């Protein structure tokens, strides 16, 4: 009889545990910190001093309609709670950026035309952030000038083809900026087709000098090298649990997106949902 009682007691204890009557609560494993989210926001240069190879006219972002659009766009992005806003400027410029951003937050600085302030300052201020961070890298010299000089001397036909393409891109860009809205232009600069065209510009002459110094490959590699370093600066801030917005020229973000795509520690946060 005693043996039967013990068996019944054990059975009731197991049943109690299974329906929640156990005296000790089950141990719930801690949730892992979510992976960093990274938004790569490709832009054209709002203020274009004509320093790039492609020459074109750009839309005036200071018109009332465009300012309203930028206010709405930056409010939507700020409402998503970014933890960091990164802009395309070298870290050596960080103190100047800090001073200007603090002045802007205090109502003592009018935004400059450039995208770093029109977008970056607005998003960070609305999100309640203390600073805007520089992530550019300019210590790696892009060998584009060396490549053009080589083509002039050793591959004149390729140089003429190159120059015609750059001229066409400039005309097409000017046409877009005279006919499309600011929102449409930003959508264009964040499209997969534009990303492919951007990367092609730095790879289409990769074969020039093959086996004879590799000037084409070295020029392409120098551009990728700079962007690898820029991505390293993004990674340093995009740690688990963060939401990072990195604003940069679409020639950069096209390559940075390919790096983010294979980065298992971070996941892409698509800007096109907000444009």
């Amino acid at each position: 009889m005693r043996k039967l009682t013990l068996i019944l007691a054990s059975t009731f204890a197991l049943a109690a545990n299974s329906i929640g009557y156990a005296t000790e609560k089950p141990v719930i494993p801690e949730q892992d910190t979510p992976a960093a989210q990274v938004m790569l926001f490709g832009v054209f240069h709002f203020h274009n001093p004509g320093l790039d190879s492609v020459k074109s006219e750009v839309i005036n972002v200071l018109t009332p309609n465009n300012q309203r659009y930028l206010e709405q766009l930056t409010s939507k992005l700020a409402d998503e709670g970014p933890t960091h806003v990164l802009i395309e400027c070298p870290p050596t410029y960080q103190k100047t950026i800090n001073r200007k951003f603090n002045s802007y937050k205090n109502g003592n600085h009018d935004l400059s035309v450039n995208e770093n302030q029109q977008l970056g300052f607005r998003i960070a201020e609305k999100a309640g952030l203390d600073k805007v961070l520089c992530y550019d890298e300019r210590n790696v010299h892009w060998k584009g000038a060396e490549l053009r000089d080589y083509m002039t001397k050793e591959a004149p036909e390729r140089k003429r083809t190159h120059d015609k393409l750059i001229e066409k891109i400039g005309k097409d860009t000017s046409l877009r900026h005279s006919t499309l809205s600011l929102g449409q232009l930003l959508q264009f600069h964040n499209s997969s087709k534009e990303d492919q065209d951007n990367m092609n510009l730095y790879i289409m002459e990769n074969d020039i000098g093959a086996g004879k110094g590799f000037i084409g490959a070295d020029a392409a590699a120098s551009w990728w090298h700079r962007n690898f370093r820029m991505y390293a600066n993004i990674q340093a801030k995009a740690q688990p649990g963060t939401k990072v917005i990195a604003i940069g020229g679409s020639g950069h973000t096209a390559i940075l997106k390919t790096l983010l795509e294979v980065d298992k520690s971070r996941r892409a946060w698509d800007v096109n949902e907000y444009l």
Side-chain angles (χ1 to χ4, degrees):
M1 187 68 176
R2 177 177 173 78
K3 185 175 182 180
L4 177 61
T5 302
L6 289 173
I7 292 173
L8 288 173
S10 297
T11 303
F12 286 134
L14 288 172
N17 283 337
S18 66
I19 61 175
Y21 295 149
T23 56
E24 293 185 4
K25 294 182 179 180
V27 177
I28 301 174
E30 294 183 4
Q31 297 296 318
D32 292 335
T33 304
Q37 297 181 57
V38 178
M39 175 184 289
L40 296 171
F41 190 167
V43 296
F44 59 93
H45 293 305
F46 289 3
H47 172 63
N48 188 347
L51 299 179
D52 292 337
S53 297
V54 176
K55 310 299 181 186
S56 64
E57 299 297 323
V58 298
I59 193 171
N60 180 7
V61 301
L62 298 181
T63 64
N65 282 342
N66 288 336
Q67 285 295 294
R68 279 193 293 272
Y69 173 79
L70 290 173
E71 279 291 335
Q72 293 169 357
L73 172 60
T74 53
S75 292
K76 286 191 289 186
L77 292 172
D79 287 346
E80 294 295 328
T83 59
H84 301 76
V85 173
L86 278 56
I87 57 176
E88 189 184 329
C89 55
T92 55
Y93 199 56
Q94 188 64 59
K95 288 184 179 180
T96 301
I97 290 295
N98 291 345
R99 175 175 53 79
K100 290 182 178 180
F101 181 60
N102 287 330
S103 182
Y104 170 66
K105 288 198 300 180
N106 294 329
N108 300 319
H109 174 74
D110 293 329
L111 295 176
S112 299
V113 180
N114 70 73
E115 62 277 7
N116 286 340
Q117 296 192 23
Q118 290 290 323
L119 290 169
F121 277 25
R122 275 190 167 114
I123 296 169
E125 189 274 333
K126 291 176 180 180
L129 302 182
D130 294 331
K131 61 179 64 175
V132 179
L133 300 169
C134 295
Y135 78 103
D136 197 4
E137 165 56 48
R138 298 181 186 175
N139 290 325
V140 176
H141 170 63
W142 179 50
K143 298 181 179 180
E146 292 89 334
L147 174 59
R148 289 190 293 272
D149 289 344
Y150 181 92
M151 285 193 293
T152 299
K153 298 174 183 177
E154 306 294 336
E157 280 297 324
R158 296 290 293 274
K159 179 65 162 55
R160 282 190 284 272
T161 301
H162 170 94
D163 290 346
K164 286 181 181 178
L165 177 59
I166 296 301
E167 182 180 2
K168 181 181 185 302
I169 292 173
K171 290 179 179 178
D172 290 347
T173 299
S174 294
L175 179 60
R176 277 194 298 273
H177 279 256
S178 66
T179 57
L180 299 182
S181 69
L182 178 55
Q184 290 171 325
L185 287 169
L186 292 176
Q187 289 170 6
F188 173 83
H189 281 276
N190 288 279
S191 66
S192 58
K193 181 182 183 304
E194 176 63 2
D195 287 343
Q196 291 173 352
D197 289 345
N198 256 314
M199 287 189 286
N200 179 63
L201 282 176
Y202 297 98
I203 203 72
M204 66 182 184
E205 286 140 4
N206 189 65
D207 63 306
I208 292 177
K212 300 177 182 178
F214 293 96
I215 182 62
D218 287 352
S222 67
W223 180 249
W224 256 256
H225 188 182
R226 178 182 174 188
N227 284 279
F228 264 98
R229 289 193 176 191
M230 292 173 70
Y231 190 68
N233 288 334
I234 294 173
Q235 287 174 301
K237 301 302 178 184
Q239 296 299 307
T242 61
K243 295 183 72 172
V244 175
I245 298 176
I247 301 165
S250 55
H252 294 295
T253 57
I255 296 173
L256 297 175
K257 287 176 188 176
T258 66
L259 303 180
L260 177 57
E261 186 177 354
V262 297
D263 186 345
K264 293 185 178 181
S265 298
R266 295 161 185 84
R267 62 185 183 89
W269 174 21
D270 191 3
V271 68
N272 286 293
E273 298 176 12
Y274 306 89
L275 299 177

